[in-house]
Amino acid sequence: MSLPEKEVFLITENDVCSKLFQSAIDTQTNLIILMHHNTPVLFNKAFQTFTGIPTAKMFLREFGSLLNRFVPHDAYFHAGKAENQDNWTESFLNLPEADRVVSMINYRAEPYAFAVTLDQPVEEYTIVSFTDISQDLIKRIMIENDVSIDKESGAFNKDYFIHTSKSFQNAAEFNKKAIGITMIEMASSDTNAEKYLHDFTSSIKCNIRQSDMLVRWEKKIFLLAYLVESPENAMKFSRKLLSVMSEEPFENLKTISMRLGTSVQIDQEEIEEIITRAESALRQSSDTSKTTLL
């Protein structure tokens, strides 16, 4: 039986059930594939979007086996680790669960890492689900390599934030909130800023939530990322932060001039654009007693 015949058989044998199944998997954010004898026959919308290919038929014509999409890197499962490439799922299921990870590249040539689960509810058929763990993997690698924290200040490292900022965008979307970015500058001499650097960081961390991220952005500038319901709430939060930072036990920070610039995400705006506007707001906030919103 040829592939097109198998596709027609699968979809038309019970049209109502096939439509219900397609609808069910299309609601999932994971990439999901239905395979028959290790051959993909159905994709959900998430997988179609990721690959830029709308049907299994076109996918097979372009790539052949699904196995060919897995990046051949030793950190992940790939074709070279399958004893029998025509039945690669058997080798995959023999792996410990923690090692059932693959890497694939999307249609824009961006690499992703996925935890993969296989389910075989009916003989000859396998449901493959890919859960995106790219951000978790990046965080783990950077933490293991001891590059997540800026040692001088105790805030997060700028590179760590840049590499993991997608998690913040995902959290905002999931919680139906906007990302707020507040840039905070120690507007004083380098000597004075260096003297009180750790206290400065600690005073901010004492007044924010655990889910907020404080990042050392430049020598005397910090970036604070958080989720917020409105620009008004972001301004209230920023102004309150400016007023409480030099309270007990950080009274010595009263000798440090500070200024803030705040920006709030508009629609699905990328985090880089929010940061750019926050930096502009900071430059416009020449008065150290106020915070500017852009």
Side-chain angles (χ1 to χ4, degrees):
M1 184 180 290
S2 66
L3 174 66
E5 289 173 332
K6 281 194 284 188
E7 281 193 320
V8 171
F9 174 80
L10 175 72
I11 294 170
T12 62
E13 181 183 35
N14 189 329
D15 195 51
V16 173
C17 288
S18 65
K19 286 182 177 179
L20 288 172
F21 179 77
Q22 183 73 60
S23 177
I25 64 175
D26 281 345
T27 64
Q28 304 302 305
T29 55
N30 282 2
L31 314 187
I32 297 176
I33 300 172
L34 177 64
M35 297 197 306
H36 181 242
H37 288 308
N38 285 310
T39 299
V41 290
L42 275 181
F43 298 148
N44 72 337
K45 284 184 180 178
F47 192 90
Q48 293 167 11
T49 300
F50 182 83
T51 59
I53 296 176
T55 67
K57 187 176 181 179
M58 291 177 64
F59 179 90
L60 291 167
R61 187 165 57 232
E62 181 76 19
F63 299 107
S65 170
L66 175 63
L67 197 59
N68 294 334
R69 286 286 299 191
F70 299 163
V71 174
H73 189 284
D74 284 344
Y76 309 100
F77 176 83
H78 56 84
K81 294 185 177 182
E83 293 182 12
N84 180 356
Q85 294 190 11
D86 292 332
N87 189 21
W88 63 268
T89 56
E90 185 175 330
S91 296
F92 190 81
L93 287 171
N94 286 333
L95 293 172
E97 189 171 342
D99 294 335
R100 296 177 187 176
V101 177
V102 304
S103 177
M104 292 192 294
I105 296 173
N106 71 1
Y107 75 98
R108 292 184 295 192
E110 299 167 333
Y112 284 76
F114 297 94
V116 184
T117 58
L118 302 181
D119 187 25
Q120 298 173 320
V122 179
E123 188 178 357
E124 299 181 354
Y125 288 93
T126 305
I127 299 172
V128 188
S129 180
F130 299 86
T131 303
D132 183 5
I133 59 168
S134 307
Q135 291 293 299
D136 292 337
L137 200 61
I138 290 169
K139 288 179 182 178
R140 191 183 78 194
I141 290 170
M142 296 191 80
I143 289 170
E144 287 175 353
N145 290 335
D146 200 25
V147 294
S148 62
I149 301 295
D150 173 67
K151 299 298 186 294
E152 287 185 335
S153 66
F156 282 111
N157 180 282
K158 182 177 181 178
D159 286 341
Y160 177 79
F161 177 75
I162 291 171
H163 280 92
T164 61
S165 60
K166 189 178 187 320
S167 294
F168 225 87
Q169 291 189 257
N170 291 342
E173 186 175 345
F174 178 80
N175 289 285
K176 297 182 179 178
K177 292 186 177 181
I179 298 171
I181 297 290
T182 296
M183 308 297 295
I184 312 167
E185 182 176 6
M186 302 176 75
S188 61
S189 68
D190 288 354
T191 302
N192 212 27
E194 186 176 337
K195 180 180 179 181
Y196 295 111
L197 180 62
H198 214 278
D199 280 353
F200 183 83
T201 305
S202 297
S203 69
I204 298 174
K205 292 170 78 172
C206 284
N207 289 288
I208 61 176
R209 298 163 298 191
Q210 190 172 1
S211 58
D212 301 337
M213 285 191 73
L214 179 65
V215 183
R216 190 177 188 187
W217 201 248
E218 294 179 16
K219 186 174 183 178
K220 296 189 290 183
I221 296 177
F222 288 77
L223 176 150
L224 181 59
Y226 48 92
L227 301 186
V228 69
E229 293 181 353
S230 69
E232 293 76 21
N233 286 349
M235 283 300 290
K236 288 178 183 177
F237 170 68
S238 298
R239 286 170 180 155
K240 181 180 178 182
L241 184 64
L242 190 61
S243 68
V244 301
M245 280 178 61
S246 56
E247 292 182 354
E248 186 182 352
F250 302 107
E251 299 95 329
N252 52 6
L253 291 179
K254 290 178 180 178
T255 62
I256 297 287
S257 297
M258 307 176 199
R259 59 188 184 130
L260 282 70
T262 297
S263 183
V264 177
Q265 184 180 32
I266 301 170
D267 298 325
Q268 298 289 318
E269 187 179 28
E270 295 292 324
I271 201 163
E272 293 85 356
E273 298 172 49
I274 315 169
I275 293 171
T276 298
R277 288 192 290 109
E279 289 175 321
S280 287
L282 180 66
R283 287 192 294 271
Q284 293 180 32
S285 182
S286 56
D287 184 342
T288 59
S289 65
K290 73 173 187 177
T291 177
T292 302
L293 174 69
L294 280 183

